[in-house]
Amino acid sequence: MQKLYYKITAIILAAFIILCFTPSCMANPDDSNSYKSSGDTLTDILANYRNDGMTSWWQIVAVYNAGENPMDYKGFDDILGSIIGDDNTVMASYVIVSDIAAVIGADPGYFEKYEEYKTKLKNLLENPLDSNTLNDYIFSYYALKCSGMIFDETSFLNYLSQAQKSDGGFALSGDAGDIDITAFVVPALKLLSSNADPVSSINPALPLMHNDVKFLPNNVGDDGACASVSANATENSNSTAVA
């Protein structure tokens, strides 16, 4: 693994910060007013992780993004040892956390499945199947981009083109776009649009990204809040934060 690629790009980090670590995301998603104030600051959340321990891989990403060393927090070893398996999102999580672990000097034993998982994710992205979910592909794409692995991104772009809903959004199911999933796809489209060949015409990712971005403001409520399918179509803090 080349150390140059251990540092996750700013745009991918932004996606994880928004989805996993925005203080308002810690509020109750069932409370339609919780987007206004969660009561937790970044300092509070870090203190909780340090005292009570981290329990999820995305918390390692969040702590790292906050400029802290995840190895100084309880739960680091347990998390790294738990993200093993054949599930696509688990493998993607392993790759992302392995990159961070390498930077901060964690035991190399944590990386033993790094190359194996990257190869499997590469095959997934280059040969999309309907049996997998949008989450599988998005997480896998971010993981490989974080790692610096070179792969053919054409099939993934074609998959997104077919997955985009008529309203410009994306969702795990149904015919209408979902705020949370749509926001999660935006950074991927941004990265895909940067692959444009200067000699070619319009990059096929650009129309998808324009429609995707338009979907978000079109689905903001009068009070500035957003709703998602995962929150039973009610306004909530997480959807508002990601939008």
Side-chain angles (χ1 to χ4, degrees), residues 19-30:
L19 289 171
C20 305
F21 201 50
T22 304
S24 61
C25 293
M26 306 299 174
N28 182 357
D30 296 325

Side-chain angles (χ1 to χ4, degrees), residues 188-210:
L189 292 175
K190 177 64 176 178
L191 288 170
L192 286 165
S193 68
S194 69
N195 294 335
D197 182 346
V199 180
S200 67
S201 55
I202 298 176
N203 185 297
L206 291 177
L208 297 181
M209 184 170 65
H210 292 160

Side-chain angles (χ1 to χ4, degrees), residues 1-9 12 91-92 95-96 99 113-127 139-154 156 191-192 195:
M1 295 183 289
Q2 299 182 36
K3 193 167 184 178
L4 172 63
Y5 294 118
Y6 288 158
K7 185 173 182 181
I8 302 176
T9 59
I12 296 178
M91 290 191 289
V95 170
I96 293 170
D99 284 332
K113 291 187 173 293
Y114 183 78
E115 296 298 333
E116 174 190 342
Y117 283 3
K118 284 201 304 178
T119 299
K120 289 182 177 181
L121 297 179
K122 178 177 181 290
N123 181 65
L124 172 74
L125 289 168
E126 292 181 344
N127 303 280
F139 269 99
S140 299
Y141 181 73
Y142 287 153
L144 291 193
K145 296 298 284 188
C146 289
S147 73
M149 187 176 196
I150 297 175
F151 59 101
D152 185 353
E153 301 180 29
T154 305
F156 175 60
L191 288 170
L192 286 165
N195 294 335

Side-chain angles (χ1 to χ4, degrees), residues 14-60:
F16 284 109
I17 290 172
I18 289 172
L19 289 171
C20 305
F21 201 50
T22 304
S24 61
C25 293
M26 306 299 174
N28 182 357
D30 296 325
D31 181 359
S32 61
N33 293 318
S34 63
Y35 66 90
K36 296 177 182 178
S37 176
S38 69
D40 286 332
T41 66
L42 178 59
T43 301
D44 294 332
I45 295 169
L46 288 175
N48 289 336
Y49 289 166
R50 187 182 293 274
N51 295 330
D52 300 334
M54 301 179 296
T55 58
S56 301
W57 69 269
W58 59 260
Q59 292 173 342
I60 292 179

Side-chain angles (χ1 to χ4, degrees), residues 132-145:
N132 295 311
T133 69
L134 180 59
N135 267 352
D136 290 323
Y137 296 112
I138 293 296
F139 269 99
S140 299
Y141 181 73
Y142 287 153
L144 291 193
K145 296 298 284 188

